[in-house]
PDB file of all heavy atoms in Angstrom:
ATOM      1  N   ILE A   1     -14.835  -8.511  28.482  1.00  0.00           N
ATOM      2  CA  ILE A   1     -13.550  -7.818  28.399  1.00  0.00           C
ATOM      3  C   ILE A   1     -13.196  -7.610  26.936  1.00  0.00           C
ATOM      4  O   ILE A   1     -13.266  -8.532  26.125  1.00  0.00           O
ATOM      5  CB  ILE A   1     -12.447  -8.634  29.101  1.00  0.00           C
ATOM      6  CG1 ILE A   1     -12.815  -8.854  30.572  1.00  0.00           C
ATOM      7  CG2 ILE A   1     -11.092  -7.940  28.969  1.00  0.00           C
ATOM      8  CD1 ILE A   1     -11.922  -9.850  31.284  1.00  0.00           C
ATOM      9  N   LYS A   2     -12.807  -6.384  26.605  1.00  0.00           N
ATOM     10  CA  LYS A   2     -12.429  -6.054  25.233  1.00  0.00           C
ATOM     11  C   LYS A   2     -10.958  -6.420  25.021  1.00  0.00           C
ATOM     12  O   LYS A   2     -10.092  -6.035  25.807  1.00  0.00           O
ATOM     13  CB  LYS A   2     -12.651  -4.566  24.982  1.00  0.00           C
ATOM     14  CG  LYS A   2     -12.518  -4.141  23.560  1.00  0.00           C
ATOM     15  CD  LYS A   2     -12.873  -2.664  23.414  1.00  0.00           C
ATOM     16  CE  LYS A   2     -12.768  -2.209  21.998  1.00  0.00           C
ATOM     17  NZ  LYS A   2     -13.089  -0.795  21.856  1.00  0.00           N
ATOM     18  N   ARG A   3     -10.680  -7.180  23.960  1.00  0.00           N
ATOM     19  CA  ARG A   3      -9.319  -7.616  23.630  1.00  0.00           C
ATOM     20  C   ARG A   3      -9.002  -7.300  22.175  1.00  0.00           C
ATOM     21  O   ARG A   3      -9.897  -7.067  21.372  1.00  0.00           O
ATOM     22  CB  ARG A   3      -9.193  -9.132  23.820  1.00  0.00           C
ATOM     23  CG  ARG A   3      -9.536  -9.615  25.183  1.00  0.00           C
ATOM     24  CD  ARG A   3      -8.320 -10.004  25.878  1.00  0.00           C
ATOM     25  NE  ARG A   3      -8.693 -10.434  27.226  1.00  0.00           N
ATOM     26  CZ  ARG A   3      -7.837 -10.748  28.124  1.00  0.00           C
ATOM     27  NH1 ARG A   3      -6.572 -10.691  27.841  1.00  0.00           N
ATOM     28  NH2 ARG A   3      -8.207 -11.113  29.311  1.00  0.00           N
ATOM     29  N   ASN A   4      -7.719  -7.326  21.863  1.00  0.00           N
ATOM     30  CA  ASN A   4      -7.307  -7.175  20.472  1.00  0.00           C
ATOM     31  C   ASN A   4      -7.680  -8.432  19.701  1.00  0.00           C
ATOM     32  O   ASN A   4      -7.454  -9.539  20.169  1.00  0.00           O
ATOM     33  CB  ASN A   4      -5.800  -6.945  20.356  1.00  0.00           C
ATOM     34  CG  ASN A   4      -5.388  -5.592  20.860  1.00  0.00           C
ATOM     35  OD1 ASN A   4      -6.164  -4.658  20.829  1.00  0.00           O
ATOM     36  ND2 ASN A   4      -4.158  -5.486  21.339  1.00  0.00           N
ATOM     37  N   GLY A   5      -8.215  -8.252  18.509  1.00  0.00           N
ATOM     38  CA  GLY A   5      -8.537  -9.388  17.646  1.00  0.00           C
ATOM     39  C   GLY A   5      -7.457  -9.568  16.602  1.00  0.00           C
ATOM     40  O   GLY A   5      -6.380  -8.978  16.688  1.00  0.00           O
ATOM     41  N   ASN A   6      -7.744 -10.372  15.612  1.00  0.00           N
ATOM     42  CA  ASN A   6      -6.823 -10.560  14.495  1.00  0.00           C
ATOM     43  C   ASN A   6      -6.871  -9.338  13.582  1.00  0.00           C
ATOM     44  O   ASN A   6      -7.832  -8.574  13.607  1.00  0.00           O
ATOM     45  CB  ASN A   6      -7.225 -11.788  13.669  1.00  0.00           C
ATOM     46  CG  ASN A   6      -7.127 -13.063  14.458  1.00  0.00           C
ATOM     47  OD1 ASN A   6      -6.410 -13.138  15.444  1.00  0.00           O
ATOM     48  ND2 ASN A   6      -7.858 -14.064  14.020  1.00  0.00           N
ATOM     49  N   LEU A   7      -5.844  -9.185  12.784  1.00  0.00           N
ATOM     50  CA  LEU A   7      -5.887  -8.153  11.754  1.00  0.00           C
ATOM     51  C   LEU A   7      -6.906  -8.547  10.700  1.00  0.00           C
ATOM     52  O   LEU A   7      -7.082  -9.725  10.401  1.00  0.00           O
ATOM     53  CB  LEU A   7      -4.521  -8.010  11.079  1.00  0.00           C
ATOM     54  CG  LEU A   7      -3.416  -7.309  11.855  1.00  0.00           C
ATOM     55  CD1 LEU A   7      -2.116  -7.367  11.060  1.00  0.00           C
ATOM     56  CD2 LEU A   7      -3.773  -5.889  12.162  1.00  0.00           C
ATOM     57  N   ARG A   8      -7.588  -7.560  10.143  1.00  0.00           N
ATOM     58  CA  ARG A   8      -8.472  -7.801   8.999  1.00  0.00           C
ATOM     59  C   ARG A   8      -7.689  -7.383   7.771  1.00  0.00           C
ATOM     60  O   ARG A   8      -7.239  -6.249   7.662  1.00  0.00           O
ATOM     61  CB  ARG A   8      -9.759  -6.989   9.111  1.00  0.00           C
ATOM     62  CG  ARG A   8     -10.681  -7.230   7.909  1.00  0.00           C
ATOM     63  CD  ARG A   8     -11.953  -6.415   7.975  1.00  0.00           C
ATOM     64  NE  ARG A   8     -12.686  -6.718   9.189  1.00  0.00           N
ATOM     65  CZ  ARG A   8     -13.169  -5.774  10.030  1.00  0.00           C
ATOM     66  NH1 ARG A   8     -13.001  -4.509   9.770  1.00  0.00           N
ATOM     67  NH2 ARG A   8     -13.816  -6.130  11.109  1.00  0.00           N
ATOM     68  N   TYR A   9      -7.515  -8.306   6.859  1.00  0.00           N
ATOM     69  CA  TYR A   9      -6.768  -8.060   5.631  1.00  0.00           C
ATOM     70  C   TYR A   9      -7.749  -7.813   4.501  1.00  0.00           C
ATOM     71  O   TYR A   9      -8.729  -8.528   4.351  1.00  0.00           O
ATOM     72  CB  TYR A   9      -5.896  -9.272   5.272  1.00  0.00           C
ATOM     73  CG  TYR A   9      -4.935  -9.663   6.360  1.00  0.00           C
ATOM     74  CD1 TYR A   9      -5.277 -10.649   7.288  1.00  0.00           C
ATOM     75  CD2 TYR A   9      -3.701  -9.050   6.475  1.00  0.00           C
ATOM     76  CE1 TYR A   9      -4.405 -11.003   8.293  1.00  0.00           C
ATOM     77  CE2 TYR A   9      -2.820  -9.406   7.478  1.00  0.00           C
ATOM     78  CZ  TYR A   9      -3.178 -10.386   8.389  1.00  0.00           C
ATOM     79  OH  TYR A   9      -2.304 -10.735   9.379  1.00  0.00           O
ATOM     80  N   THR A  10      -7.468  -6.793   3.708  1.00  0.00           N
ATOM     81  CA  THR A  10      -8.267  -6.521   2.516  1.00  0.00           C
ATOM     82  C   THR A  10      -7.333  -6.594   1.317  1.00  0.00           C
ATOM     83  O   THR A  10      -6.339  -5.872   1.252  1.00  0.00           O
ATOM     84  CB  THR A  10      -8.923  -5.129   2.588  1.00  0.00           C
ATOM     85  OG1 THR A  10      -9.718  -5.050   3.777  1.00  0.00           O
ATOM     86  CG2 THR A  10      -9.792  -4.869   1.374  1.00  0.00           C
ATOM     87  N   ILE A  11      -7.673  -7.478   0.390  1.00  0.00           N
ATOM     88  CA  ILE A  11      -6.888  -7.615  -0.837  1.00  0.00           C
ATOM     89  C   ILE A  11      -7.310  -6.486  -1.772  1.00  0.00           C
ATOM     90  O   ILE A  11      -8.472  -6.356  -2.118  1.00  0.00           O
ATOM     91  CB  ILE A  11      -7.162  -8.969  -1.533  1.00  0.00           C
ATOM     92  CG1 ILE A  11      -6.979 -10.134  -0.563  1.00  0.00           C
ATOM     93  CG2 ILE A  11      -6.301  -9.114  -2.784  1.00  0.00           C
ATOM     94  CD1 ILE A  11      -5.581 -10.374  -0.095  1.00  0.00           C
ATOM     95  N   ARG A  12      -6.352  -5.650  -2.127  1.00  0.00           N
ATOM     96  CA  ARG A  12      -6.664  -4.546  -3.040  1.00  0.00           C
ATOM     97  C   ARG A  12      -6.705  -5.062  -4.480  1.00  0.00           C
ATOM     98  O   ARG A  12      -5.964  -5.980  -4.833  1.00  0.00           O
ATOM     99  CB  ARG A  12      -5.606  -3.458  -2.936  1.00  0.00           C
ATOM    100  CG  ARG A  12      -5.682  -2.684  -1.660  1.00  0.00           C
ATOM    101  CD  ARG A  12      -4.831  -1.453  -1.783  1.00  0.00           C
ATOM    102  NE  ARG A  12      -5.077  -0.565  -0.671  1.00  0.00           N
ATOM    103  CZ  ARG A  12      -4.128   0.071  -0.015  1.00  0.00           C
ATOM    104  NH1 ARG A  12      -2.873  -0.069  -0.376  1.00  0.00           N
ATOM    105  NH2 ARG A  12      -4.438   0.861   0.983  1.00  0.00           N
ATOM    106  N   PRO A  13      -7.535  -4.444  -5.319  1.00  0.00           N
ATOM    107  CA  PRO A  13      -7.523  -4.814  -6.741  1.00  0.00           C
ATOM    108  C   PRO A  13      -6.121  -4.585  -7.312  1.00  0.00           C
ATOM    109  O   PRO A  13      -5.450  -3.607  -6.978  1.00  0.00           O
ATOM    110  CB  PRO A  13      -8.536  -3.864  -7.374  1.00  0.00           C
ATOM    111  CG  PRO A  13      -9.419  -3.440  -6.249  1.00  0.00           C
ATOM    112  CD  PRO A  13      -8.553  -3.437  -5.022  1.00  0.00           C
ATOM    113  N   ILE A  14      -5.679  -5.476  -8.158  1.00  0.00           N
ATOM    114  CA  ILE A  14      -4.303  -5.450  -8.656  1.00  0.00           C
ATOM    115  C   ILE A  14      -4.007  -4.149  -9.402  1.00  0.00           C
ATOM    116  O   ILE A  14      -2.905  -3.614  -9.305  1.00  0.00           O
ATOM    117  CB  ILE A  14      -3.987  -6.704  -9.506  1.00  0.00           C
ATOM    118  CG1 ILE A  14      -2.479  -6.843  -9.726  1.00  0.00           C
ATOM    119  CG2 ILE A  14      -4.745  -6.696 -10.812  1.00  0.00           C
ATOM    120  CD1 ILE A  14      -1.700  -7.235  -8.518  1.00  0.00           C
ATOM    121  N   ARG A  15      -4.965  -3.620 -10.133  1.00  0.00           N
ATOM    122  CA  ARG A  15      -4.753  -2.357 -10.864  1.00  0.00           C
ATOM    123  C   ARG A  15      -4.467  -1.210  -9.889  1.00  0.00           C
ATOM    124  O   ARG A  15      -3.583  -0.387 -10.130  1.00  0.00           O
ATOM    125  CB  ARG A  15      -5.960  -2.008 -11.732  1.00  0.00           C
ATOM    126  CG  ARG A  15      -6.166  -2.942 -12.869  1.00  0.00           C
ATOM    127  CD  ARG A  15      -5.134  -2.675 -13.955  1.00  0.00           C
ATOM    128  NE  ARG A  15      -5.145  -3.761 -14.906  1.00  0.00           N
ATOM    129  CZ  ARG A  15      -4.060  -4.265 -15.463  1.00  0.00           C
ATOM    130  NH1 ARG A  15      -2.886  -3.777 -15.179  1.00  0.00           N
ATOM    131  NH2 ARG A  15      -4.139  -5.256 -16.306  1.00  0.00           N
ATOM    132  N   GLU A  16      -5.210  -1.167  -8.802  1.00  0.00           N
ATOM    133  CA  GLU A  16      -4.995  -0.137  -7.780  1.00  0.00           C
ATOM    134  C   GLU A  16      -3.606  -0.290  -7.159  1.00  0.00           C
ATOM    135  O   GLU A  16      -2.891   0.690  -6.946  1.00  0.00           O
ATOM    136  CB  GLU A  16      -6.080  -0.280  -6.708  1.00  0.00           C
ATOM    137  CG  GLU A  16      -6.057   0.763  -5.625  1.00  0.00           C
ATOM    138  CD  GLU A  16      -7.169   0.534  -4.619  1.00  0.00           C
ATOM    139  OE1 GLU A  16      -8.313   0.277  -5.040  1.00  0.00           O
ATOM    140  OE2 GLU A  16      -6.879   0.606  -3.402  1.00  0.00           O
ATOM    141  N   ALA A  17      -3.206  -1.517  -6.884  1.00  0.00           N
ATOM    142  CA  ALA A  17      -1.887  -1.776  -6.302  1.00  0.00           C
ATOM    143  C   ALA A  17      -0.770  -1.366  -7.254  1.00  0.00           C
ATOM    144  O   ALA A  17       0.251  -0.809  -6.833  1.00  0.00           O
ATOM    145  CB  ALA A  17      -1.763  -3.258  -5.942  1.00  0.00           C
ATOM    146  N   ILE A  18      -0.964  -1.615  -8.546  1.00  0.00           N
ATOM    147  CA  ILE A  18       0.044  -1.225  -9.541  1.00  0.00           C
ATOM    148  C   ILE A  18       0.181   0.293  -9.599  1.00  0.00           C
ATOM    149  O   ILE A  18       1.286   0.828  -9.669  1.00  0.00           O
ATOM    150  CB  ILE A  18      -0.299  -1.812 -10.926  1.00  0.00           C
ATOM    151  CG1 ILE A  18      -0.092  -3.320 -10.906  1.00  0.00           C
ATOM    152  CG2 ILE A  18       0.540  -1.182 -12.031  1.00  0.00           C
ATOM    153  CD1 ILE A  18      -0.597  -4.040 -12.127  1.00  0.00           C
ATOM    154  N   GLU A  19      -0.937   1.012  -9.536  1.00  0.00           N
ATOM    155  CA  GLU A  19      -0.884   2.481  -9.539  1.00  0.00           C
ATOM    156  C   GLU A  19      -0.133   3.001  -8.322  1.00  0.00           C
ATOM    157  O   GLU A  19       0.698   3.907  -8.441  1.00  0.00           O
ATOM    158  CB  GLU A  19      -2.301   3.047  -9.572  1.00  0.00           C
ATOM    159  CG  GLU A  19      -3.006   2.859 -10.901  1.00  0.00           C
ATOM    160  CD  GLU A  19      -4.464   3.281 -10.853  1.00  0.00           C
ATOM    161  OE1 GLU A  19      -4.885   3.900  -9.856  1.00  0.00           O
ATOM    162  OE2 GLU A  19      -5.181   2.977 -11.814  1.00  0.00           O
ATOM    163  N   ILE A  20      -0.399   2.429  -7.156  1.00  0.00           N
ATOM    164  CA  ILE A  20       0.310   2.824  -5.932  1.00  0.00           C
ATOM    165  C   ILE A  20       1.798   2.522  -6.073  1.00  0.00           C
ATOM    166  O   ILE A  20       2.650   3.352  -5.735  1.00  0.00           O
ATOM    167  CB  ILE A  20      -0.284   2.095  -4.705  1.00  0.00           C
ATOM    168  CG1 ILE A  20      -1.704   2.594  -4.429  1.00  0.00           C
ATOM    169  CG2 ILE A  20       0.599   2.274  -3.483  1.00  0.00           C
ATOM    170  CD1 ILE A  20      -2.462   1.756  -3.411  1.00  0.00           C
ATOM    171  N   PHE A  21       2.118   1.352  -6.604  1.00  0.00           N
ATOM    172  CA  PHE A  21       3.508   0.934  -6.785  1.00  0.00           C
ATOM    173  C   PHE A  21       4.256   1.897  -7.709  1.00  0.00           C
ATOM    174  O   PHE A  21       5.359   2.344  -7.396  1.00  0.00           O
ATOM    175  CB  PHE A  21       3.518  -0.489  -7.350  1.00  0.00           C
ATOM    176  CG  PHE A  21       4.889  -1.034  -7.636  1.00  0.00           C
ATOM    177  CD1 PHE A  21       5.737  -1.394  -6.606  1.00  0.00           C
ATOM    178  CD2 PHE A  21       5.323  -1.198  -8.944  1.00  0.00           C
ATOM    179  CE1 PHE A  21       6.992  -1.915  -6.872  1.00  0.00           C
ATOM    180  CE2 PHE A  21       6.574  -1.715  -9.217  1.00  0.00           C
ATOM    181  CZ  PHE A  21       7.409  -2.071  -8.183  1.00  0.00           C
ATOM    182  N   HIS A  22       3.643   2.236  -8.843  1.00  0.00           N
ATOM    183  CA  HIS A  22       4.293   3.143  -9.791  1.00  0.00           C
ATOM    184  C   HIS A  22       4.427   4.553  -9.213  1.00  0.00           C
ATOM    185  O   HIS A  22       5.442   5.215  -9.437  1.00  0.00           O
ATOM    186  CB  HIS A  22       3.539   3.179 -11.115  1.00  0.00           C
ATOM    187  CG  HIS A  22       3.741   1.954 -11.947  1.00  0.00           C
ATOM    188  ND1 HIS A  22       4.978   1.458 -12.276  1.00  0.00           N
ATOM    189  CD2 HIS A  22       2.848   1.095 -12.507  1.00  0.00           C
ATOM    190  CE1 HIS A  22       4.862   0.367 -12.999  1.00  0.00           C
ATOM    191  NE2 HIS A  22       3.565   0.121 -13.153  1.00  0.00           N
ATOM    192  N   ALA A  23       3.438   5.000  -8.470  1.00  0.00           N
ATOM    193  CA  ALA A  23       3.513   6.328  -7.838  1.00  0.00           C
ATOM    194  C   ALA A  23       4.664   6.373  -6.840  1.00  0.00           C
ATOM    195  O   ALA A  23       5.400   7.360  -6.777  1.00  0.00           O
ATOM    196  CB  ALA A  23       2.192   6.661  -7.157  1.00  0.00           C
ATOM    197  N   ARG A  24       4.837   5.306  -6.073  1.00  0.00           N
ATOM    198  CA  ARG A  24       5.935   5.268  -5.095  1.00  0.00           C
ATOM    199  C   ARG A  24       7.286   5.209  -5.795  1.00  0.00           C
ATOM    200  O   ARG A  24       8.241   5.831  -5.354  1.00  0.00           O
ATOM    201  CB  ARG A  24       5.761   4.079  -4.166  1.00  0.00           C
ATOM    202  CG  ARG A  24       4.648   4.293  -3.180  1.00  0.00           C
ATOM    203  CD  ARG A  24       4.536   3.158  -2.219  1.00  0.00           C
ATOM    204  NE  ARG A  24       3.440   3.411  -1.297  1.00  0.00           N
ATOM    205  CZ  ARG A  24       2.805   2.482  -0.638  1.00  0.00           C
ATOM    206  NH1 ARG A  24       3.161   1.223  -0.774  1.00  0.00           N
ATOM    207  NH2 ARG A  24       1.822   2.789   0.174  1.00  0.00           N
ATOM    208  N   GLN A  25       7.373   4.451  -6.884  1.00  0.00           N
ATOM    209  CA  GLN A  25       8.629   4.391  -7.633  1.00  0.00           C
ATOM    210  C   GLN A  25       8.974   5.750  -8.211  1.00  0.00           C
ATOM    211  O   GLN A  25      10.120   6.183  -8.163  1.00  0.00           O
ATOM    212  CB  GLN A  25       8.528   3.371  -8.755  1.00  0.00           C
ATOM    213  CG  GLN A  25       8.757   1.956  -8.324  1.00  0.00           C
ATOM    214  CD  GLN A  25       8.850   1.025  -9.514  1.00  0.00           C
ATOM    215  OE1 GLN A  25       8.214   1.246 -10.534  1.00  0.00           O
ATOM    216  NE2 GLN A  25       9.645  -0.016  -9.374  1.00  0.00           N
ATOM    217  N   LEU A  26       7.971   6.435  -8.747  1.00  0.00           N
ATOM    218  CA  LEU A  26       8.186   7.742  -9.342  1.00  0.00           C
ATOM    219  C   LEU A  26       8.651   8.743  -8.293  1.00  0.00           C
ATOM    220  O   LEU A  26       9.595   9.492  -8.528  1.00  0.00           O
ATOM    221  CB  LEU A  26       6.901   8.240 -10.018  1.00  0.00           C
ATOM    222  CG  LEU A  26       6.997   9.551 -10.786  1.00  0.00           C
ATOM    223  CD1 LEU A  26       8.011   9.425 -11.919  1.00  0.00           C
ATOM    224  CD2 LEU A  26       5.641   9.937 -11.344  1.00  0.00           C
ATOM    225  N   SER A  27       8.020   8.730  -7.120  1.00  0.00           N
ATOM    226  CA  SER A  27       8.427   9.676  -6.074  1.00  0.00           C
ATOM    227  C   SER A  27       9.830   9.356  -5.572  1.00  0.00           C
ATOM    228  O   SER A  27      10.589  10.253  -5.228  1.00  0.00           O
ATOM    229  CB  SER A  27       7.423   9.682  -4.926  1.00  0.00           C
ATOM    230  OG  SER A  27       7.414   8.449  -4.261  1.00  0.00           O
ATOM    231  N   ALA A  28      10.205   8.082  -5.542  1.00  0.00           N
ATOM    232  CA  ALA A  28      11.559   7.714  -5.121  1.00  0.00           C
ATOM    233  C   ALA A  28      12.585   8.217  -6.131  1.00  0.00           C
ATOM    234  O   ALA A  28      13.658   8.700  -5.758  1.00  0.00           O
ATOM    235  CB  ALA A  28      11.672   6.201  -4.959  1.00  0.00           C
ATOM    236  N   VAL A  29      12.265   8.116  -7.418  1.00  0.00           N
ATOM    237  CA  VAL A  29      13.158   8.614  -8.468  1.00  0.00           C
ATOM    238  C   VAL A  29      13.282  10.129  -8.361  1.00  0.00           C
ATOM    239  O   VAL A  29      14.381  10.687  -8.492  1.00  0.00           O
ATOM    240  CB  VAL A  29      12.642   8.187  -9.867  1.00  0.00           C
ATOM    241  CG1 VAL A  29      13.380   8.917 -10.969  1.00  0.00           C
ATOM    242  CG2 VAL A  29      12.762   6.692 -10.030  1.00  0.00           C
ATOM    243  N   GLU A  30      12.174  10.816  -8.117  1.00  0.00           N
ATOM    244  CA  GLU A  30      12.202  12.278  -7.969  1.00  0.00           C
ATOM    245  C   GLU A  30      13.042  12.691  -6.769  1.00  0.00           C
ATOM    246  O   GLU A  30      13.811  13.654  -6.839  1.00  0.00           O
ATOM    247  CB  GLU A  30      10.776  12.819  -7.845  1.00  0.00           C
ATOM    248  CG  GLU A  30       9.982  12.731  -9.134  1.00  0.00           C
ATOM    249  CD  GLU A  30       8.512  13.063  -8.925  1.00  0.00           C
ATOM    250  OE1 GLU A  30       8.063  13.203  -7.763  1.00  0.00           O
ATOM    251  OE2 GLU A  30       7.805  13.181  -9.941  1.00  0.00           O
ATOM    252  N   ARG A  31      12.915  11.957  -5.641  1.00  0.00           N
ATOM    253  CA  ARG A  31      13.718  12.273  -4.449  1.00  0.00           C
ATOM    254  C   ARG A  31      15.199  12.071  -4.733  1.00  0.00           C
ATOM    255  O   ARG A  31      16.039  12.867  -4.317  1.00  0.00           O
ATOM    256  CB  ARG A  31      13.278  11.421  -3.270  1.00  0.00           C
ATOM    257  CG  ARG A  31      11.978  11.875  -2.634  1.00  0.00           C
ATOM    258  CD  ARG A  31      11.763  11.197  -1.287  1.00  0.00           C
ATOM    259  NE  ARG A  31      11.791   9.736  -1.385  1.00  0.00           N
ATOM    260  CZ  ARG A  31      10.731   8.969  -1.522  1.00  0.00           C
ATOM    261  NH1 ARG A  31       9.531   9.510  -1.588  1.00  0.00           N
ATOM    262  NH2 ARG A  31      10.846   7.658  -1.590  1.00  0.00           N
ATOM    263  N   ALA A  32      15.537  11.015  -5.463  1.00  0.00           N
ATOM    264  CA  ALA A  32      16.940  10.756  -5.797  1.00  0.00           C
ATOM    265  C   ALA A  32      17.490  11.862  -6.703  1.00  0.00           C
ATOM    266  O   ALA A  32      18.627  12.314  -6.529  1.00  0.00           O
ATOM    267  CB  ALA A  32      17.073   9.395  -6.477  1.00  0.00           C
ATOM    268  N   ALA A  33      16.666  12.322  -7.643  1.00  0.00           N
ATOM    269  CA  ALA A  33      17.092  13.412  -8.539  1.00  0.00           C
ATOM    270  C   ALA A  33      17.313  14.696  -7.738  1.00  0.00           C
ATOM    271  O   ALA A  33      18.279  15.435  -8.000  1.00  0.00           O
ATOM    272  CB  ALA A  33      16.057  13.627  -9.630  1.00  0.00           C
ATOM    273  N   GLU A  34      16.448  14.983  -6.779  1.00  0.00           N
ATOM    274  CA  GLU A  34      16.616  16.165  -5.930  1.00  0.00           C
ATOM    275  C   GLU A  34      17.896  16.101  -5.131  1.00  0.00           C
ATOM    276  O   GLU A  34      18.611  17.087  -4.976  1.00  0.00           O
ATOM    277  CB  GLU A  34      15.419  16.330  -4.996  1.00  0.00           C
ATOM    278  CG  GLU A  34      14.152  16.792  -5.683  1.00  0.00           C
ATOM    279  CD  GLU A  34      12.973  16.843  -4.719  1.00  0.00           C
ATOM    280  OE1 GLU A  34      13.177  16.688  -3.501  1.00  0.00           O
ATOM    281  OE2 GLU A  34      11.853  17.038  -5.201  1.00  0.00           O
TER     282      GLU A  34
END
């Protein structure tokens, strides 16, 4: 029987996470300005 397993977590490299974080902050600032 096929069942749901646990989530598989992947730790992203910190530099990649920082780029994503800054991109999201920038888009939030742009939306607020609009």
Side-chain angles (χ1 to χ4, degrees):
I1 301 170
K2 190 175 181 181
R3 303 253 178 185
N4 290 332
N6 296 338
L7 285 176
R8 179 181 302 131
Y9 303 94
T10 303
I11 307 293
R12 288 193 169 137
I14 194 71
R15 292 285 167 219
E16 184 180 315
I18 290 171
E19 289 173 10
I20 292 169
F21 178 72
H22 286 307
R24 287 183 180 157
Q25 278 189 328
L26 185 61
S27 66
V29 169
E30 290 171 351
R31 284 193 304 265
E34 288 176 9

